[in-house]
Amino acid sequence: MIKNVHHVGVVVRDIEQALGFYRDTLGLRVHKIQTMDDQGVRAALLTLGDSEIELLQPVVDDNGVARYLERRGEGLHHVCFEVDDVDGDLRALQKMQVELIDQEPRIGIAGRICFLHPSAMDGTLVELCEPIPS
Amino acid sequence: MIKNVHHVGVVVRDIEQALGFYRDTLGLRVHKIQTMDDQGVRAALLTLGDSEIELLQPVVDDNGVARYLERRGEGLHHVCFEVDDVDGDLRALQKMQVELIDQEPRIGIAGRICFLHPSAMDGTLVELCEPIPS
């Protein structure tokens, strides 16, 4: 069901400052920067071979990313696995009684996505993503 | 300098229990399990497309992985980028005065590796790896 690491999500306080390292020092290419007002986050996607680094900066005080930053500080936030059929995989996980955050896929910056609950994965927040062809 | 996400490192209390999810529920294939006595960790590598998940369980009480588990609990620990020339990249990072954990490459489970200091990457622990052809 899982094809690849689609991206690794990193929470930062300030995307512009973080790009000083990821883009300017490591030389990674930024292919998208977008503020998602409905999710209260600003995201930058950097190309890394077949995968991506997703930098996430909260732009509100009361969402999961803001609470993560407050509680744990900057750092690795989630890993996203690419799948072909996010609906089918979500149903399969529901049948296996895996604890989920999203019971239905929704649209994220990377495509049609859903998040599993960290308790399902020993504390690791996992996202599944079925990319939408651009 | 960076080619791909080589692996994502996840700290767990008990590898066998974690495999119940990663191997048995998600269906990922385990291609290596190894205890590295010199590093005080037991590691399982699971294939994930062109990348890997590296489960890490401390087997001593006094190394970085054990302290991470104690302080932050189970979860995402580091991300490893594949490079062609870990010696050259390490020298380039030293010239750019990037804060490092390893000043020289060393042998890890994934190949010739070095770790950057999390303060260089906004709290994210980054490993560089030049795989050794098997």
Side-chain angles (χ1 to χ4, degrees):
Chain A
M1 108 191 205
I2 293 172
K3 294 171 67 183
N4 210 345
V5 173
H6 185 277
H7 66 261
V8 177
V10 175
V11 171
V12 298
R13 284 190 201 286
D14 181 333
I15 279 186
E16 295 307 323
Q17 188 184 319
L19 287 177
F21 187 79
Y22 289 88
R23 180 191 56 201
D24 303 337
T25 302
L26 292 185
L28 301 179
R29 189 174 67 84
V30 179
H31 67 268
K32 196 173 197 175
I33 295 190
Q34 185 177 333
T35 299
M36 291 166 289
D37 287 320
D38 57 326
Q39 297 178 43
V41 295
R42 182 168 161 79
L45 302 183
L46 296 102
T47 307
L48 214 166
D50 296 332
S51 301
E52 296 173 354
I53 296 287
E54 180 181 275
L55 301 178
L56 289 169
Q57 173 191 334
V59 295
V60 296
D61 293 333
D62 60 350
N63 61 7
V65 174
R67 285 189 291 272
Y68 184 94
L69 184 59
E70 177 71 26
R71 206 171 58 241
R72 306 199 40 145
E74 295 182 308
L76 289 170
H77 179 256
H78 67 272
V79 57
C80 177
F81 298 140
E82 182 175 343
V83 298
D84 277 330
D85 174 12
V86 71
D87 296 85
D89 292 335
L90 196 49
R91 281 196 301 274
L93 292 169
Q94 284 167 332
K95 273 190 196 165
M96 290 186 278
Q97 302 191 307
V98 171
E99 202 171 344
L100 303 169
I101 290 178
D102 297 305
Q103 298 296 331
E104 296 287 337
R106 57 187 171 87
I107 301 295
I109 191 171
R112 300 189 63 240
I113 65 154
C114 68
F115 276 91
L116 280 61
H117 196 279
S119 67
M121 296 281 279
D122 308 294
T124 297
L125 179 59
V126 169
E127 177 182 2
L128 302 182
C129 171
E130 179 186 331
I132 298 173
S134 55
Chain B
M1 107 191 209
I2 294 173
K3 294 170 66 183
N4 210 344
V5 173
H6 185 278
H7 66 261
V8 177
V10 175
V11 171
V12 298
R13 284 190 201 286
D14 182 334
I15 279 186
E16 294 307 321
Q17 188 185 318
L19 288 177
F21 188 80
Y22 289 88
R23 180 190 58 200
D24 303 337
T25 302
L26 292 186
L28 300 179
R29 188 174 68 83
V30 180
H31 68 267
K32 195 173 197 175
I33 296 190
Q34 185 176 332
T35 300
M36 290 165 291
D37 287 321
D38 58 325
Q39 297 178 42
V41 295
R42 182 167 161 78
L45 301 183
L46 297 102
T47 307
L48 214 166
D50 296 331
S51 301
E52 296 174 354
I53 296 287
E54 180 181 275
L55 301 178
L56 289 170
Q57 174 192 333
V59 295
V60 295
D61 293 332
D62 60 350
N63 61 8
V65 175
R67 284 189 291 272
Y68 183 94
L69 184 59
E70 177 71 25
R71 204 171 59 240
R72 306 199 39 144
E74 295 182 307
L76 290 171
H77 179 257
H78 67 271
V79 57
C80 176
F81 299 141
E82 182 174 343
V83 297
D84 277 330
D85 174 12
V86 71
D87 295 86
D89 292 334
L90 196 48
R91 280 195 303 273
L93 292 169
Q94 283 167 332
K95 274 190 195 165
M96 288 187 278
Q97 301 191 309
V98 171
E99 203 172 344
L100 303 168
I101 291 178
D102 297 306
Q103 297 296 331
E104 296 288 334
R106 56 188 172 86
I107 301 295
I109 191 170
R112 299 189 64 239
I113 65 155
C114 68
F115 277 91
L116 281 60
H117 196 280
S119 68
M121 295 282 278
D122 308 294
T124 297
L125 179 59
V126 169
E127 178 182 3
L128 301 182
C129 171
E130 179 186 329
I132 298 172
S134 55

